[in-house]
Amino acid sequence: MVNKSKKETIRVVLVDDQTMIRQGLGYVIKMQKDMEVIGEASNGEEAVKLIGEVIPDVVLMDVQMPNMSGIDATREITRLHPSIKVLILTTFDTYDYIVDGIRAGAIGYMLKDSDSQDMLDLIRRAHQGEALFYTATAAKALAEVLQFQQKNHSPASHSDSDTDSVLPPLVMLDQLTDREQDVLEQLSYGKRNDQIAQHLLISEGTVKTHIHRILQKMGVEDRTQAVAKAIRYKIVK
């Protein structure tokens, strides 16, 4: 029974250059029966090293830090450990930060002055495989990133200097059916199965079937990885 409980605990790493912020977040998280803080880092460089050692489930990542920014750290962490969910937690509701965070592989964005219950909800839902962007600016940025990537999906639109051009494609758009592309797009907006079903006028069972096929075709384990790779490899329609 003890081992089962430990396995189900959400393991969290806190990354912020302000000690008081880490202490405050840590206090709230440690009060939860289903979460534990397994490490802290004060900059991106420390975070990359620590996360490679402890392999958490979720990372709460600040943006502005010395040595290595949260965006650069997120990019490195998601490259090395694609199953880890990185959530941007910052004081800045800034368009550029959000876009950079999304492109780096973050699957959530929240302001530090948000309610603590919203933060806990963000952690739990991200751990379950949802992509969540809690501010109006974040929602707008995500929509525009997806629109831009749709317009620039053609390989000819990428220059040789583009870092993504050296990455092997995981799945091409023509491997997904139109309905699977629709479902993947809704997943990228953080929609639950019931919301996707309502939006697309299909049953939840059908949504689950589409998601299962999407995960198989993309070679990923959960919906978070599917969204992260869809954004990174520009395959979201």
Side-chain angles (χ1 to χ4, degrees), residues 51-202:
I51 288 164
E53 296 171 352
V54 302
I55 311 296
D57 299 308
V58 177
V59 178
L60 292 186
M61 179 73 72
D62 188 21
V63 174
Q64 289 191 336
M65 295 181 293
N67 297 338
M68 179 187 285
S69 74
I71 301 299
D72 289 338
T74 295
R75 185 176 296 108
E76 186 69 3
I77 291 164
T78 56
R79 182 183 70 83
L80 296 172
H81 314 284
S83 66
I84 294 176
K85 284 78 173 177
V86 180
L87 307 173
I88 300 293
L89 193 63
T90 179
T91 56
F92 304 99
D93 189 17
T94 305
Y95 181 88
D96 288 343
Y97 283 164
I98 298 167
V99 171
D100 289 345
I102 293 171
R103 288 175 172 165
I107 55 92
Y109 192 98
M110 175 176 278
L111 299 181
K112 289 181 180 178
D113 61 0
S114 299
D115 185 271
S116 61
Q117 289 303 314
D118 286 337
M119 178 197 70
L120 296 172
D121 179 61
L122 178 67
I123 293 172
R124 291 188 178 102
R125 292 176 65 185
H127 182 246
Q128 291 171 0
E130 296 184 47
L132 303 156
F133 296 85
Y134 268 64
T135 73
T137 303
K140 178 176 181 290
L142 179 59
E144 292 186 3
V145 167
L146 296 178
Q147 290 170 5
F148 175 82
Q149 291 179 347
Q150 180 181 0
K151 292 177 182 177
N152 293 274
H153 177 69
S154 170
S157 67
H158 297 288
S159 67
D160 292 337
S161 62
D162 187 278
T163 55
D164 284 346
S165 66
V166 301
L167 298 171
L170 297 176
V171 60
M172 297 301 292
L173 278 173
D174 57 8
Q175 291 180 265
L176 298 177
T177 66
D178 290 342
R179 183 57 81 193
E180 287 167 355
Q181 291 176 27
D182 292 338
V183 171
L184 181 57
E185 182 176 3
Q186 292 300 306
L187 287 177
S188 72
Y189 285 100
K191 297 292 184 64
R192 301 189 306 270
N193 288 356
D194 60 328
Q195 294 173 320
I196 296 174
Q198 183 177 8
H199 180 80
L200 298 178
L201 302 178
I202 57 179

